[in-house]
Amino acid sequence: MGDEDWEAEIIKPHMSSYVPVFEKDRYSSGAHGDTFNRTLASLSEMDDGYSRRDHFMRSRFASGRSLGNRDPGESNKRENTSTMGDFGVGRSFGNRGFSNNKFEEGDSCGFWRESSNDREDNQTRNRGFSKRDGYQDGNDSEASGSFRRSGRGSYRGCRGGFGLGSPNSKYEQDEGTQRSGGIFGSRRSALSGVGKGDAYQSRSGSGSGRGGYKGLNEEVITASGKNSWKSEAERRESGDTQGPKVTYIPPPPPEDEDSIFAHYQTGINFDKYDTILVEVSGHDVPPAILTFEEANLCQTLNSNIAKAGYTKLTPVQKYSIPIVLGGRDLMACAQTGSGKTAAFLLPILAHMMRDGVTASRFKELQEPECIIVAPTRELISQIYLEARKFSFGTCVRAVVIYGGTQLGHSIRQIVQGCNILCATPGRLMDIIGKEKIGLRQVKYIVLDEADRMLDMGFGPEMKKLISCPGMPSKEQRQTLMFSATFPEEIQRLAGEFLKSNYLFVAVGQVGGACRDVQQTILQVGQYSKREKLVEILRNIGDERTMVFVETKKKADFIATFLCQEKISTTSIHGDREQREREQALGDFRCGKCPVLVATSVAARGLDIENVQHVINFDLPSTTDEYVHRIGRTGRCGNTGRAISFFDTESDNHLAQPLVKVLSDAQQDVPAWLEEIAFSMYVPGFSGSTRGNVFVSIDTRKNYQGKSSLNAAGFSSSQAPNPVDDESWD
Ligand SMILES: Nc1ncnc2c1ncn2[C@@H]1O[C@H](COP(=O)(O)OP(=O)(O)OP(=O)(O)O)[C@@H](O)[C@H]1O
C-alpha cells in the first residue's frame, strides 16, 4: 500500500458504520533507628541474585541464541492469511516458535505516514530508552477513565450502553451548550472496519470529550504562544476556550456485591513474590508485616479483603502498609501488577475507620480526607473501584472525577458526599477552582504512577495542588507515592511533596520488568510489521492481546486493518471520545474484542484480567514506558508474554537499554540485538541506576553515599531541592 493510500484505507466506504460496543522472614526491616534495611526473604533469592548477574554476564558476552534472526527465505511467506478463527497452526508461541523464524519479517507493504504531531508517547523516540530527563510535553493531560474493569474489585461484562444521566439544572450551568459527542453522539465521520461481525470505528474526531492525553507533540499552544500544561479537553471543560462542551456522563458501575468484589485469580507465581528482594531506606523503618491479621485492620476491612480474594500480602503491601499505618510519608517502587493499589488504600481506610470520618452527606462544599491522583482516566476509575470495594459497608464514600466527562456530573458526585476523591489532575483543579472541594481536611495525598504525576506534564498541576489555599502543609498531611518506575530526577522533584523523613521502599528486580512476562524481541522492518502482527495474532487466537503503537493515527489504522483481517479489534487513544474509550476498554475486558490497539495512554496501571500478550508494534522511547507497557500482562503472579518489533532502521539506539532490561529480567537476549547494542556502544552507558538489583534506588543515597545513608539517614538539609533541576512553570 502506498503512502497516499493509508488514509483511504482507514475510511474505506464499504465498511459498515461502527458502533464500538467496547465493553471491554519476619521482616524486621530493622529495629527502630535503622536507616537502611535490605531483606532477603529467602536464601534462594540470594542465589537468584547471583545467578541473575551471572546470566547477565553470559548474555552480554556469549553469542547466545537469536530469537528472531531474519531468514530471508521465510520473510515473504505469509502463513496464515485466512480469516478469523484460523489460528493455532500448531507451533509453539514461545521462544522456540520465534527462533523457528516463523515470526519473521516479510516484505509486505505498509507505509506509515505519520504526522509528527500525532505521537502520544511520553517521549520522543530519539531520546532512547535510558534518557529520562525532562520528558513530557507541557500539556500532557490526563487520559482515560472508565468504570469498568474485569479484574479485581471491578465488574465485568460488555457494556454497550452509556449512562444518560439527566442533567441537573444547577450544575448544568457549568456545562454550557452541548454541541457534539457525548450523549447526543458525535458528528465525527465514522470509519469502520469489520472484525468478527463487529465493526470498528475509530478515528479521532472533533467530538467533545476526546483527547485528554496529550503526548509530546500534542502540545497546546496558548494565546500567548506559550505551551500550556493544561490539556485542551480540560481547558474546554473549565471554559477556557470556545470549544465544544463535554456532555458525556459515564454509566454508573454496578452496585451489587458480586460485581464490586469480582476479581481474577492470582497466578502460579504469586507465591514467588515472597522471594523478591526488598529494600527500605530512611529513618525508623517500621517492621514489615507478614499477614493481613498483623495489620490489625477493623472487621469490615478484613471482611472486604477476604471477599476480594486476598489471602496473602504481596511484598509491597507487607512493607508499605505498616509504614502508612505508622503515619509516615512513602515513596514505593514495585513491579507492575504487584498490588500497589491496595498497599495505599488499605492503611488509609484503616486510619479513616480508626479516626472516624464525617459520614457522607449532601453538602455544597465537600472536604475529603484523601485525594488520590493518577494520570489517566481509566486508571483513576480503576483505583476508584478498588476504593469502593475496600470501603464497602463503611461510611467512607469514594468518588471519582475525570476529564472527558460532564463537569456537572463530577460535581453532582462530589456534593453527595466525598471522603476519598479519586481524580485526574485537570478535573481536580477545575473542581477545586469551582469551590466544590475544600482542602482543609486533607490528610492523605496519593500520587499513583508518581513518576508520571511529577514529570513535566503533570508536575505543575501537582505543584499547584499542594499550594492550593487550605491545603495542609506536607508536615500536616501524609503524602504517598507509588510507581513501578521512579527515575532519579523525578525522585528529586518528589522531595518537595514529601516530609524529609519519608521512607523509600523498593521491591522487585533489576530493570523493573516483571519476570513473569516472557519478553521476545523480533527484528521486523517497518514495512513488514503489519504482516507479522497478523501472523502473530492468528497464532494467538482469542487470547487477549494489547498492541502498542506510537501514534494515535497509527492506532486507528492498525485497528482498522486488523478488523479488515477479521481479527476483532478495538482501540484506545487520546483522540477518541471518552465514551468510545470506555466502550473500547469494556469490549476488550469482556473479550468481545480480544485485541486492543493502544497508545501510551493505556501503558500504565490498567489491570485487565487475562491479558496474555502485549505486542510492541512500535517500541516506546524509554525503558520506563516499556516496563509499564509489558506490565499489562503477567500480573498478580500470572504469566504473560511480550513481543516487541525491533526495526533496525530506526530502533538501533534502543538496543543497549533493551539488552539491559532483558538481561535484568533474566530473559534471553537475541545475539543480533547484542551485536547491535555493542555496535551502538556508548561509553559510560549504565542503563540508568536501576540496573543492578532494585527496580529503583533511593536517590538520597546518591547525595550522601550509601554508607552515610545507612548510618545516618537523611536530614532535610540534605534532601534534594526539586526545583533546582527543572523549571516547573
Ligand atoms: N494481596 C493480594 N492478593 C490477591 N490479589 C491481589 C493482592 N494485592 C493485589 N491483588 C490484585 O493484583 C492485581 C494487580 O494489583 P494492582 O493493580 O494494585 O497492581 P499495581 O502494582 O498497582 O500495578 P501497576 O504497576 O501496573 O499499576 C489486582 O487485580 C489486585 O486486585
Side-chain angles (χ1 to χ4, degrees), residues 540-559:
I540 284 173
D542 277 340
E543 292 179 351
R544 243 159 273 180
T545 305
M546 290 178 80
V547 179
F548 284 99
V549 297
E550 186 186 13
T551 67
K552 293 175 283 189
K553 274 187 182 164
K554 197 184 273 190
D556 281 342
F557 182 44
I558 294 296

Side-chain angles (χ1 to χ4, degrees), residues 53-74:
R53 278 189 290 279
D54 183 42
H55 168 87
F56 176 67
M57 296 303 283
R58 275 187 279 120
S59 71
R60 290 288 292 145
F61 300 110
S63 61
R65 180 169 57 100
S66 167
L67 298 185
N69 285 340
R70 187 173 179 175
D71 177 352
E74 287 269 39

Side-chain angles (χ1 to χ4, degrees), residues 152 310 312 317 337-341 449 605 607 632 635-636:
R152 290 178 177 280
Y310 290 22
K312 203 172 158 182
Q317 293 163 357
S338 65
K340 292 186 284 294
T341 316
E449 307 297 343
D607 183 50
R632 296 317 98 211
R635 298 177 69 77
C636 205

Side-chain angles (χ1 to χ4, degrees), residues 149 151-152 264 266 270 292 309-314 317 334-342 382 386 389 448-449 484 604-607 628 631-632 635-636:
R149 56 179 255 136
R152 290 178 177 280
Y264 62 81
T266 57
F270 189 78
F292 281 111
Y310 290 22
T311 52
K312 203 172 158 182
L313 291 155
T314 66
Q317 293 163 357
Q335 74 182 59
T336 52
S338 65
K340 292 186 284 294
T341 316
Q382 184 179 293
E386 293 289 282
K389 172 172 77 179
D448 196 24
E449 307 297 343
R604 284 181 180 253
L606 295 183
D607 183 50
H628 285 284
R632 296 317 98 211
R635 298 177 69 77
C636 205

Side-chain angles (χ1 to χ4, degrees), residues 515-552:
R515 268 195 247 170
D516 295 332
V517 180
Q518 178 193 339
Q519 303 173 52
T520 304
I521 314 292
L522 296 180
Q523 244 187 85
V524 187
Q526 160 171 239
Y527 303 119
S528 309
K529 285 183 177 180
R530 283 192 303 161
E531 189 177 14
K532 184 63 64 186
L533 178 64
V534 169
E535 189 182 342
I536 293 172
L537 290 173
R538 291 205 196 290
N539 278 279
I540 284 173
D542 277 340
E543 292 179 351
R544 243 159 273 180
T545 305
M546 290 178 80
V547 179
F548 284 99
V549 297
E550 186 186 13
T551 67
K552 293 175 283 189

Side-chain angles (χ1 to χ4, degrees), residues 28-39:
S28 155
S29 33
H32 293 284
D34 287 357
T35 57
F36 177 84
N37 301 286
R38 173 182 291 191
T39 299

